[in-house]
Amino acid sequence: MPYLWAPREYPPTWLWIVPAWLLGVPGFYVALLGPVFALAVAVTAVALLARHRSLPAGLYRWCVVAAVLTCALAVFMLTPLGQTIAVFTAD
């Protein structure tokens, strides 16, 4: 963040508030719900992939990668480290 060390004015307040609400609030609930949310998203992704095989090849591969990463998140959130991170985020 170059504005922290440069002799300039601080950025407008909306540049702090908007990203916090767009990223922080959903991230809080994703961390709080943890594996339940990730598992629901992964099941939805796999069901949609099974239903829509007529997608373009690149989009289909991207969707498969997203589903695999979401499953990995669900498994990670079931580990003690994932639960510790979720509790820390919720706190």
Side-chain angles (χ1 to χ4, degrees):
M1 297 184 198
Y3 64 84
L4 291 177
W5 61 79
R8 297 183 201 136
E9 294 181 27
Y10 286 109
T13 305
W14 69 268
L15 282 178
W16 296 353
I17 295 172
V18 171
W21 277 97
L22 290 177
L23 301 174
V25 173
F28 170 77
Y29 286 108
V30 167
L32 190 63
L33 296 174
V36 175
F37 179 76
L39 186 61
V41 171
V43 167
T44 303
V46 170
L48 287 173
L49 284 173
R51 178 186 261 183
H52 299 289
R53 289 209 174 255
S54 62
L55 293 173
L59 180 59
Y60 189 79
R61 283 192 303 269
W62 187 90
C63 290
V64 168
V65 168
V68 168
L69 290 176
T70 306
C71 290
L73 172 67
V75 170
F76 173 73
M77 291 302 289
L78 291 172
T79 65
L81 178 61
Q83 291 173 354
T84 302
I85 291 171
V87 168
F88 176 77
T89 303
D91 188 28

Coordinates of all heavy atoms in Angstrom, one line a residue:
M1 N 0.8 -1.2 0.0 CA 0.0 0.0 0.0 C 0.9 1.2 0.0 O 1.3 1.7 1.1 CB -0.9 0.0 1.2 CG -1.9 -1.2 1.2 SD -3.0 -1.0 2.6 CE -3.5 -2.7 2.7
P2 N 1.2 1.8 -1.2 CA 2.1 2.9 -1.3 C 1.7 4.1 -0.5 O 2.5 4.9 -0.1 CB 2.2 3.2 -2.8 CG 1.5 2.1 -3.4 CD 0.7 1.3 -2.4
Y3 N 0.4 4.3 -0.3 CA 0.0 5.6 0.4 C 0.4 5.6 1.8 O 0.4 6.6 2.5 CB -1.5 5.8 0.3 CG -2.4 4.7 0.9 CD1 -2.7 4.8 2.3 CD2 -2.8 3.6 0.2 CE1 -3.4 3.8 2.9 CE2 -3.6 2.7 0.8 CZ -3.9 2.8 2.1 OH -4.7 1.8 2.7
L4 N 0.8 4.4 2.4 CA 1.2 4.4 3.8 C 2.6 5.0 4.0 O 2.9 5.6 5.1 CB 1.3 3.0 4.3 CG -0.1 2.3 4.5 CD1 0.1 0.9 4.9 CD2 -1.0 3.1 5.4
W5 N 3.5 5.0 3.0 CA 4.8 5.5 3.2 C 5.1 6.8 2.3 O 6.1 7.5 2.5 CB 5.9 4.5 3.0 CG 5.9 3.9 1.6 CD1 6.5 4.5 0.5 CD2 5.4 2.6 1.2 NE1 6.3 3.6 -0.6 CE2 5.7 2.5 -0.2 CE3 4.8 1.6 1.9 CZ2 5.3 1.4 -0.9 CZ3 4.4 0.5 1.2 CH2 4.7 0.4 -0.2
A6 N 4.2 7.1 1.4 CA 4.4 8.3 0.6 C 3.7 9.5 1.2 O 2.7 9.4 1.9 CB 3.7 8.0 -0.8
P7 N 4.3 10.7 1.1 CA 3.8 11.8 1.7 C 2.5 12.4 0.9 O 2.6 13.4 0.2 CB 4.9 12.9 1.7 CG 5.7 12.4 0.5 CD 5.6 10.9 0.4
R8 N 1.4 11.6 1.0 CA 0.2 12.0 0.3 C -1.0 11.9 1.2 O -0.8 11.4 2.3 CB 0.0 11.0 -0.9 CG 1.0 11.0 -1.9 CD 0.6 10.1 -3.1 NE 1.8 9.7 -3.8 CZ 2.2 8.5 -4.2 NH1 1.4 7.5 -4.0 NH2 3.3 8.3 -4.9
E9 N -2.1 12.4 0.7 CA -3.3 12.3 1.5 C -3.8 10.8 1.6 O -3.4 10.0 0.7 CB -4.4 13.1 0.9 CG -4.1 14.6 0.9 CD -5.3 15.4 0.3 OE1 -6.4 14.9 0.3 OE2 -5.1 16.4 -0.3
Y10 N -4.5 10.5 2.6 CA -5.1 9.2 2.7 C -6.1 9.0 1.6 O -6.8 10.0 1.2 CB -5.7 9.0 4.1 CG -4.7 8.8 5.2 CD1 -4.5 9.8 6.1 CD2 -4.0 7.6 5.2 CE1 -3.5 9.6 7.1 CE2 -3.0 7.4 6.2 CZ -2.8 8.4 7.1 OH -1.9 8.2 8.1
P11 N -6.4 7.8 1.2 CA -7.4 7.6 0.2 C -8.8 7.8 0.8 O -9.0 7.9 2.0 CB -7.3 6.1 -0.2 CG -6.6 5.5 1.0 CD -5.7 6.5 1.6
P12 N -9.8 8.0 0.0 CA -11.1 8.3 0.5 C -11.6 7.1 1.3 O -11.2 6.0 1.2 CB -12.0 8.4 -0.8 CG -11.1 8.5 -1.9 CD -9.8 8.1 -1.5
T13 N -12.5 7.4 2.3 CA -13.0 6.4 3.2 C -13.7 5.3 2.5 O -13.6 4.1 2.9 CB -14.0 7.1 4.2 OG1 -13.3 8.1 4.8 CG2 -14.5 6.1 5.2
W14 N -14.4 5.6 1.4 CA -15.1 4.5 0.7 C -14.2 3.4 0.1 O -14.6 2.3 -0.1 CB -16.0 5.1 -0.4 CG -15.3 5.6 -1.6 CD1 -14.9 6.9 -1.8 CD2 -14.9 4.9 -2.8 NE1 -14.3 7.1 -3.0 CE2 -14.2 5.9 -3.6 CE3 -15.0 3.6 -3.2 CZ2 -13.7 5.5 -4.8 CZ3 -14.4 3.3 -4.4 CH2 -13.8 4.2 -5.2
L15 N -12.9 3.8 -0.1 CA -12.0 2.8 -0.6 C -11.6 1.8 0.5 O -11.1 0.7 0.3 CB -10.7 3.4 -1.1 CG -10.8 4.0 -2.5 CD1 -9.5 4.7 -2.8 CD2 -11.1 3.0 -3.5
W16 N -11.9 2.1 1.8 CA -11.7 1.2 2.9 C -13.0 0.4 3.2 O -13.0 -0.8 3.4 CB -11.3 1.9 4.1 CG -10.0 2.6 4.1 CD1 -9.1 2.5 3.0 CD2 -9.4 3.4 5.0 NE1 -8.0 3.3 3.3 CE2 -8.2 3.9 4.5 CE3 -9.8 3.8 6.3 CZ2 -7.3 4.7 5.3 CZ3 -9.0 4.7 7.0 CH2 -7.8 5.1 6.5
I17 N -14.1 1.1 3.1 CA -15.4 0.5 3.5 C -15.9 -0.5 2.5 O -16.3 -1.6 2.8 CB -16.4 1.6 3.8 CG1 -15.9 2.4 5.0 CG2 -17.8 1.0 4.1 CD1 -16.8 3.6 5.3
V18 N -15.9 -0.1 1.2 CA -16.5 -1.0 0.2 C -15.8 -2.3 0.1 O -16.5 -3.4 0.1 CB -16.6 -0.2 -1.2 CG1 -17.0 -1.1 -2.3 CG2 -17.5 1.0 -1.1
P19 N -14.5 -2.4 0.0 CA -13.8 -3.7 -0.1 C -14.1 -4.5 1.2 O -14.2 -5.7 1.1 CB -12.3 -3.4 -0.2 CG -12.3 -2.0 -0.8 CD -13.5 -1.3 -0.3
A20 N -14.2 -3.9 2.3 CA -14.4 -4.6 3.6 C -15.8 -5.3 3.5 O -15.9 -6.4 3.9 CB -14.3 -3.7 4.8
W21 N -16.8 -4.6 3.1 CA -18.1 -5.1 3.0 C -18.2 -6.2 1.9 O -18.9 -7.2 2.0 CB -19.2 -4.0 2.8 CG -19.5 -3.4 4.1 CD1 -19.0 -2.3 4.6 CD2 -20.5 -3.9 5.1 NE1 -19.6 -2.0 5.8 CE2 -20.5 -3.0 6.1 CE3 -21.3 -5.0 5.1 CZ2 -21.3 -3.2 7.2 CZ3 -22.1 -5.2 6.2 CH2 -22.1 -4.3 7.3
L22 N -17.6 -6.0 0.8 CA -17.7 -6.9 -0.3 C -16.9 -8.2 -0.1 O -17.3 -9.3 -0.5 CB -17.2 -6.3 -1.6 CG -18.1 -5.2 -2.2 CD1 -17.4 -4.6 -3.5 CD2 -19.4 -5.7 -2.5
L23 N -15.8 -8.1 0.6 CA -14.9 -9.3 0.8 C -15.0 -9.8 2.3 O -15.0 -11.0 2.5 CB -13.5 -8.9 0.5 CG -13.2 -8.5 -1.0 CD1 -11.8 -8.1 -1.2 CD2 -13.6 -9.6 -1.9
G24 N -15.0 -8.9 3.2 CA -14.9 -9.3 4.6 C -16.2 -9.9 5.1 O -16.1 -10.9 5.8
V25 N -17.3 -9.3 4.8 CA -18.6 -9.9 5.3 C -18.9 -11.3 4.8 O -19.1 -12.2 5.5 CB -19.7 -8.9 5.1 CG1 -21.1 -9.5 5.5 CG2 -19.5 -7.6 5.9
P26 N -18.8 -11.5 3.4 CA -19.0 -12.8 2.9 C -18.0 -13.8 3.4 O -18.2 -15.0 3.8 CB -19.0 -12.7 1.4 CG -19.3 -11.3 1.2 CD -18.7 -10.5 2.3
G27 N -16.7 -13.3 3.5 CA -15.6 -14.2 4.0 C -15.9 -14.6 5.5 O -15.6 -15.7 5.9
F28 N -16.4 -13.7 6.3 CA -16.8 -14.0 7.7 C -17.8 -15.2 7.7 O -17.6 -16.1 8.5 CB -17.3 -12.8 8.4 CG -17.9 -13.1 9.7 CD1 -17.1 -13.3 10.8 CD2 -19.3 -13.2 9.9 CE1 -17.6 -13.5 12.1 CE2 -19.8 -13.4 11.1 CZ -19.0 -13.6 12.2
Y29 N -18.8 -15.1 6.9 CA -19.8 -16.1 7.0 C -19.3 -17.4 6.3 O -19.7 -18.5 6.8 CB -21.1 -15.7 6.3 CG -21.9 -14.7 7.2 CD1 -21.9 -13.3 6.8 CD2 -22.5 -15.1 8.3 CE1 -22.5 -12.4 7.7 CE2 -23.1 -14.2 9.2 CZ -23.1 -12.9 8.8 OH -23.8 -12.0 9.6
V30 N -18.5 -17.4 5.3 CA -17.9 -18.6 4.7 C -17.0 -19.3 5.8 O -17.1 -20.5 6.0 CB -17.1 -18.3 3.5 CG1 -16.3 -19.4 3.1 CG2 -18.1 -17.9 2.3
A31 N -16.3 -18.5 6.5 CA -15.4 -19.1 7.6 C -16.3 -19.6 8.7 O -16.0 -20.7 9.3 CB -14.4 -18.1 8.1
L32 N -17.3 -18.9 9.1 CA -18.2 -19.3 10.2 C -18.9 -20.6 9.8 O -19.0 -21.5 10.7 CB -19.2 -18.2 10.5 CG -20.0 -18.3 11.8 CD1 -19.0 -18.3 13.0 CD2 -21.0 -17.2 11.9
L33 N -19.5 -20.7 8.6 CA -20.2 -21.9 8.2 C -19.3 -23.0 7.9 O -19.7 -24.2 7.9 CB -21.2 -21.6 7.1 CG -22.3 -20.6 7.4 CD1 -23.0 -20.2 6.2 CD2 -23.2 -21.1 8.5
G34 N -18.1 -22.7 7.4 CA -17.0 -23.7 7.2 C -17.4 -24.8 6.2 O -17.8 -24.6 5.1
P35 N -17.2 -26.0 6.7 CA -17.4 -27.2 5.8 C -18.8 -27.3 5.3 O -19.1 -27.9 4.2 CB -17.0 -28.4 6.7 CG -17.0 -27.9 8.0 CD -16.8 -26.4 8.0
V36 N -19.8 -26.9 6.1 CA -21.2 -27.0 5.6 C -21.4 -26.2 4.4 O -22.0 -26.7 3.4 CB -22.2 -26.6 6.8 CG1 -23.6 -26.6 6.3 CG2 -22.0 -27.5 8.0
F37 N -21.0 -25.0 4.4 CA -21.1 -24.1 3.2 C -20.3 -24.6 2.0 O -20.8 -24.7 0.9 CB -20.6 -22.7 3.6 CG -20.7 -21.7 2.4 CD1 -21.9 -21.2 2.0 CD2 -19.6 -21.4 1.8 CE1 -22.0 -20.3 1.0 CE2 -19.6 -20.5 0.7 CZ -20.9 -20.0 0.3
A38 N -19.1 -25.0 2.3 CA -18.2 -25.5 1.2 C -18.8 -26.8 0.6 O -18.7 -27.0 -0.6 CB -16.8 -25.8 1.7
L39 N -19.3 -27.7 1.4 CA -19.9 -28.9 0.9 C -21.1 -28.7 0.1 O -21.3 -29.3 -1.0 CB -20.2 -29.9 2.1 CG -20.7 -31.3 1.7 CD1 -19.6 -32.0 0.9 CD2 -21.0 -32.1 2.9
A40 N -21.9 -27.7 0.5 CA -23.1 -27.4 -0.3 C -22.7 -26.8 -1.6 O -23.3 -27.1 -2.6 CB -24.0 -26.4 0.5
V41 N -21.8 -25.9 -1.6 CA -21.3 -25.3 -2.9 C -20.7 -26.4 -3.8 O -20.9 -26.4 -5.0 CB -20.3 -24.2 -2.6 CG1 -19.7 -23.7 -3.9 CG2 -21.0 -23.0 -1.9
A42 N -19.9 -27.3 -3.2 CA -19.3 -28.4 -4.0 C -20.3 -29.3 -4.6 O -20.2 -29.7 -5.8 CB -18.3 -29.1 -3.2
V43 N -21.3 -29.7 -3.9 CA -22.4 -30.6 -4.4 C -23.2 -29.8 -5.5 O -23.5 -30.4 -6.5 CB -23.3 -31.0 -3.2 CG1 -24.6 -31.6 -3.8 CG2 -22.6 -31.9 -2.3
T44 N -23.4 -28.6 -5.3 CA -24.1 -27.8 -6.3 C -23.3 -27.7 -7.6 O -23.8 -27.9 -8.7 CB -24.4 -26.4 -5.8 OG1 -25.2 -26.4 -4.6 CG2 -25.2 -25.6 -6.9
A45 N -22.0 -27.5 -7.5 CA -21.1 -27.4 -8.6 C -21.0 -28.8 -9.4 O -21.1 -28.8 -10.6 CB -19.7 -27.0 -8.2
V46 N -20.9 -29.9 -8.6 CA -20.9 -31.2 -9.3 C -22.2 -31.5 -10.0 O -22.2 -32.0 -11.1 CB -20.5 -32.3 -8.3 CG1 -20.6 -33.6 -8.8 CG2 -19.0 -32.0 -7.8
A47 N -23.3 -31.1 -9.3 CA -24.6 -31.4 -9.9 C -24.8 -30.6 -11.2 O -25.3 -31.1 -12.2 CB -25.7 -31.1 -9.0
L48 N -24.3 -29.3 -11.2 CA -24.4 -28.5 -12.4 C -23.5 -29.0 -13.5 O -23.9 -29.0 -14.7 CB -24.1 -27.1 -12.1 CG -25.2 -26.3 -11.3 CD1 -24.7 -25.0 -10.9 CD2 -26.5 -26.2 -12.1
L49 N -22.3 -29.5 -13.1 CA -21.4 -30.0 -14.1 C -22.0 -31.3 -14.8 O -21.9 -31.5 -16.0 CB -20.1 -30.3 -13.5 CG -19.2 -29.1 -13.3 CD1 -17.9 -29.5 -12.5 CD2 -18.8 -28.5 -14.6
A50 N -22.6 -32.1 -14.0 CA -23.2 -33.4 -14.5 C -24.4 -33.0 -15.4 O -24.7 -33.8 -16.4 CB -23.7 -34.3 -13.4
R51 N -25.1 -32.0 -15.1 CA -26.3 -31.6 -15.9 C -25.9 -30.9 -17.2 O -26.6 -31.1 -18.2 CB -27.2 -30.7 -15.1 CG -28.4 -30.3 -15.8 CD -29.2 -29.3 -15.0 NE -30.3 -30.0 -14.3 CZ -31.1 -29.4 -13.5 NH1 -31.0 -28.1 -13.3 NH2 -32.1 -30.1 -13.0
H52 N -24.9 -30.1 -17.2 CA -24.6 -29.2 -18.3 C -23.3 -29.7 -19.0 O -22.3 -29.0 -18.8 CB -24.5 -27.8 -17.9 CG -25.8 -27.2 -17.4 ND1 -26.9 -27.0 -18.2 CD2 -26.2 -26.9 -16.2 CE1 -27.9 -26.5 -17.5 NE2 -27.5 -26.5 -16.2
R53 N -23.3 -30.7 -19.7 CA -22.0 -31.2 -20.3 C -21.8 -30.5 -21.6 O -20.8 -30.6 -22.2 CB -22.1 -32.7 -20.6 CG -22.0 -33.5 -19.3 CD -21.4 -34.8 -19.6 NE -21.1 -35.5 -18.4 CZ -19.9 -35.7 -17.8 NH1 -18.9 -35.1 -18.4 NH2 -19.8 -36.4 -16.7
S54 N -22.7 -29.6 -22.1 CA -22.6 -28.9 -23.3 C -21.8 -27.6 -23.2 O -21.8 -26.8 -24.1 CB -23.9 -28.7 -24.0 OG -24.7 -27.8 -23.1
L55 N -21.2 -27.3 -22.1 CA -20.4 -26.1 -21.9 C -19.2 -26.2 -22.7 O -18.7 -27.2 -23.1 CB -20.0 -26.0 -20.4 CG -21.1 -25.8 -19.4 CD1 -20.5 -25.8 -18.0 CD2 -21.8 -24.4 -19.6
P56 N -18.7 -25.0 -23.1 CA -17.4 -25.0 -23.8 C -16.3 -25.7 -23.0 O -16.4 -25.6 -21.8 CB -17.1 -23.5 -24.0 CG -18.4 -22.8 -23.9 CD -19.3 -23.7 -23.0
A57 N -15.3 -26.2 -23.7 CA -14.3 -27.0 -23.0 C -13.6 -26.2 -21.9 O -13.3 -26.7 -20.8 CB -13.3 -27.6 -24.0
G58 N -13.2 -25.0 -22.2 CA -12.5 -24.2 -21.2 C -13.3 -23.9 -20.0 O -12.8 -23.9 -18.9
L59 N -14.6 -23.5 -20.2 CA -15.4 -23.2 -19.1 C -15.7 -24.5 -18.3 O -15.8 -24.4 -17.0 CB -16.8 -22.6 -19.6 CG -17.8 -22.3 -18.5 CD1 -17.2 -21.3 -17.6 CD2 -19.1 -21.8 -19.2
Y60 N -15.8 -25.6 -18.9 CA -16.1 -26.9 -18.2 C -14.9 -27.2 -17.3 O -15.0 -27.6 -16.2 CB -16.4 -28.0 -19.2 CG -16.8 -29.3 -18.6 CD1 -18.1 -29.4 -18.1 CD2 -15.9 -30.3 -18.4 CE1 -18.5 -30.6 -17.5 CE2 -16.3 -31.5 -17.8 CZ -17.6 -31.6 -17.3 OH -18.0 -32.8 -16.7
R61 N -13.7 -27.1 -17.9 CA -12.4 -27.3 -17.1 C -12.4 -26.4 -15.9 O -12.0 -26.8 -14.8 CB -11.2 -27.2 -18.0 CG -11.0 -28.4 -18.9 CD -9.6 -28.4 -19.5 NE -9.3 -27.1 -20.2 CZ -9.6 -27.0 -21.5 NH1 -10.1 -28.0 -22.2 NH2 -9.3 -25.9 -22.2
W62 N -12.7 -25.1 -16.1 CA -12.6 -24.1 -15.0 C -13.6 -24.5 -14.0 O -13.3 -24.4 -12.8 CB -13.0 -22.7 -15.6 CG -12.8 -21.6 -14.6 CD1 -11.6 -20.9 -14.4 CD2 -13.8 -21.1 -13.7 NE1 -11.9 -20.0 -13.4 CE2 -13.1 -20.1 -13.0 CE3 -15.1 -21.5 -13.4 CZ2 -13.8 -19.4 -12.0 CZ3 -15.7 -20.7 -12.4 CH2 -15.1 -19.7 -11.7
C63 N -14.8 -25.0 -14.3 CA -15.8 -25.4 -13.4 C -15.4 -26.6 -12.6 O -15.6 -26.7 -11.4 CB -17.2 -25.6 -14.1 SG -18.0 -24.1 -14.7
V64 N -14.7 -27.5 -13.3 CA -14.2 -28.7 -12.6 C -13.1 -28.3 -11.6 O -13.1 -28.8 -10.4 CB -13.6 -29.7 -13.6 CG1 -12.8 -30.8 -12.9 CG2 -14.8 -30.3 -14.4
V65 N -12.2 -27.4 -11.9 CA -11.2 -27.0 -11.0 C -11.8 -26.3 -9.8 O -11.4 -26.5 -8.7 CB -10.2 -26.1 -11.7 CG1 -9.3 -25.4 -10.8 CG2 -9.4 -26.9 -12.7
A66 N -12.8 -25.4 -10.1 CA -13.5 -24.7 -9.0 C -14.2 -25.7 -8.0 O -14.2 -25.6 -6.8 CB -14.5 -23.8 -9.5
A67 N -14.8 -26.8 -8.6 CA -15.5 -27.8 -7.8 C -14.4 -28.6 -6.9 O -14.7 -28.8 -5.7 CB -16.3 -28.8 -8.6
V68 N -13.3 -28.9 -7.5 CA -12.3 -29.6 -6.8 C -11.7 -28.7 -5.7 O -11.5 -29.2 -4.5 CB -11.2 -30.1 -7.8 CG1 -9.9 -30.5 -7.0 CG2 -11.7 -31.2 -8.7
L69 N -11.5 -27.5 -5.9 CA -10.9 -26.6 -4.9 C -12.0 -26.4 -3.8 O -11.6 -26.3 -2.6 CB -10.5 -25.2 -5.5 CG -9.3 -25.3 -6.4 CD1 -9.0 -23.9 -7.0 CD2 -8.1 -25.7 -5.6
T70 N -13.2 -26.3 -4.1 CA -14.3 -26.2 -3.1 C -14.3 -27.4 -2.2 O -14.5 -27.4 -1.0 CB -15.6 -25.9 -3.7 OG1 -15.5 -24.8 -4.6 CG2 -16.7 -25.6 -2.7
C71 N -14.2 -28.6 -2.8 CA -14.1 -29.9 -2.1 C -12.9 -29.9 -1.1 O -13.0 -30.3 0.0 CB -14.1 -31.1 -3.0 SG -15.7 -31.4 -3.8
A72 N -11.8 -29.4 -1.7 CA -10.6 -29.3 -0.8 C -10.8 -28.3 0.3 O -10.3 -28.6 1.4 CB -9.4 -28.8 -1.7
L73 N -11.5 -27.2 0.1 CA -11.8 -26.3 1.2 C -12.7 -27.0 2.3 O -12.4 -26.9 3.5 CB -12.5 -25.1 0.7 CG -13.0 -24.1 1.8 CD1 -11.9 -23.5 2.5 CD2 -13.9 -23.1 1.2
A74 N -13.6 -27.8 1.8 CA -14.5 -28.5 2.8 C -13.7 -29.5 3.6 O -13.9 -29.5 4.8 CB -15.6 -29.2 2.0
V75 N -12.8 -30.2 3.0 CA -12.0 -31.1 3.7 C -11.0 -30.4 4.7 O -10.9 -30.8 5.8 CB -11.2 -32.0 2.7 CG1 -10.1 -32.9 3.5 CG2 -12.1 -32.9 2.0
F76 N -10.4 -29.3 4.2 CA -9.5 -28.5 5.0 C -10.3 -28.0 6.3 O -9.7 -27.9 7.4 CB -8.9 -27.4 4.3 CG -8.1 -26.5 5.1 CD1 -6.9 -26.9 5.6 CD2 -8.6 -25.2 5.4 CE1 -6.1 -26.0 6.4 CE2 -7.8 -24.3 6.2 CZ -6.6 -24.7 6.7
M77 N -11.5 -27.5 6.1 CA -12.3 -26.9 7.2 C -12.6 -28.0 8.2 O -13.0 -27.6 9.3 CB -13.5 -26.2 6.7 CG -13.2 -24.9 5.8 SD -12.3 -23.7 6.7 CE -13.5 -23.1 7.9
L78 N -12.5 -29.2 7.9 CA -12.8 -30.3 8.9 C -11.6 -30.6 9.7 O -11.7 -31.3 10.7 CB -13.3 -31.5 8.2 CG -14.7 -31.4 7.6 CD1 -15.0 -32.6 6.7 CD2 -15.8 -31.2 8.6
T79 N -10.4 -30.1 9.3 CA -9.2 -30.4 10.1 C -9.1 -29.4 11.3 O -9.8 -28.4 11.3 CB -7.9 -30.2 9.2 OG1 -7.9 -28.8 8.8 CG2 -8.0 -31.1 8.0
P80 N -8.3 -29.8 12.3 CA -8.2 -28.9 13.4 C -7.6 -27.5 13.0 O -8.1 -26.5 13.6 CB -7.2 -29.6 14.3 CG -7.3 -31.0 14.0 CD -7.6 -31.0 12.5
L81 N -6.7 -27.4 12.1 CA -6.2 -26.1 11.7 C -7.3 -25.3 11.0 O -7.4 -24.1 11.3 CB -5.0 -26.3 10.7 CG -4.4 -25.0 10.1 CD1 -3.9 -24.1 11.3 CD2 -3.4 -25.3 9.1
G82 N -8.1 -25.9 10.2 CA -9.2 -25.2 9.5 C -10.2 -24.7 10.5 O -10.7 -23.6 10.4
Q83 N -10.5 -25.5 11.5 CA -11.5 -25.1 12.6 C -10.9 -24.0 13.4 O -11.6 -23.1 13.8 CB -11.8 -26.3 13.4 CG -12.7 -27.3 12.6 CD -12.9 -28.6 13.4 OE1 -12.4 -28.8 14.5 NE2 -13.7 -29.4 12.8
T84 N -9.6 -24.0 13.7 CA -8.9 -22.9 14.4 C -9.0 -21.6 13.7 O -9.3 -20.6 14.2 CB -7.5 -23.3 14.7 OG1 -7.4 -24.5 15.4 CG2 -6.8 -22.2 15.5
I85 N -8.8 -21.7 12.4 CA -8.9 -20.5 11.5 C -10.3 -19.9 11.5 O -10.5 -18.7 11.6 CB -8.3 -20.8 10.1 CG1 -6.8 -21.0 10.1 CG2 -8.7 -19.6 9.2 CD1 -6.3 -21.5 8.8
A86 N -11.3 -20.8 11.4 CA -12.7 -20.4 11.4 C -13.1 -19.8 12.7 O -13.7 -18.7 12.8 CB -13.6 -21.6 11.1
V87 N -12.6 -20.3 13.8 CA -12.9 -19.8 15.2 C -12.2 -18.4 15.3 O -12.8 -17.4 15.8 CB -12.5 -20.7 16.3 CG1 -12.6 -20.1 17.6 CG2 -13.4 -21.9 16.3
F88 N -11.0 -18.3 14.8 CA -10.3 -17.0 14.9 C -11.0 -16.0 14.1 O -11.1 -14.8 14.5 CB -8.8 -17.2 14.4 CG -8.0 -16.0 14.4 CD1 -7.5 -15.4 15.6 CD2 -7.8 -15.3 13.2 CE1 -6.8 -14.2 15.5 CE2 -7.1 -14.1 13.2 CZ -6.6 -13.6 14.3
T89 N -11.4 -16.4 12.9 CA -12.1 -15.4 12.0 C -13.5 -15.0 12.6 O -13.8 -13.8 12.6 CB -12.4 -16.0 10.6 OG1 -11.1 -16.4 10.1 CG2 -13.0 -15.1 9.7
A90 N -14.2 -15.9 13.2 CA -15.5 -15.6 13.8 C -15.3 -14.8 15.1 O -16.2 -14.0 15.4 CB -16.2 -16.9 14.1
D91 N -14.2 -14.9 15.7 CA -13.9 -14.1 17.0 C -13.6 -12.7 16.6 O -13.9 -11.8 17.2 CB -12.8 -14.7 17.8 CG -12.7 -14.1 19.1 OD1 -13.7 -13.6 19.7 OD2 -11.5 -14.1 19.7

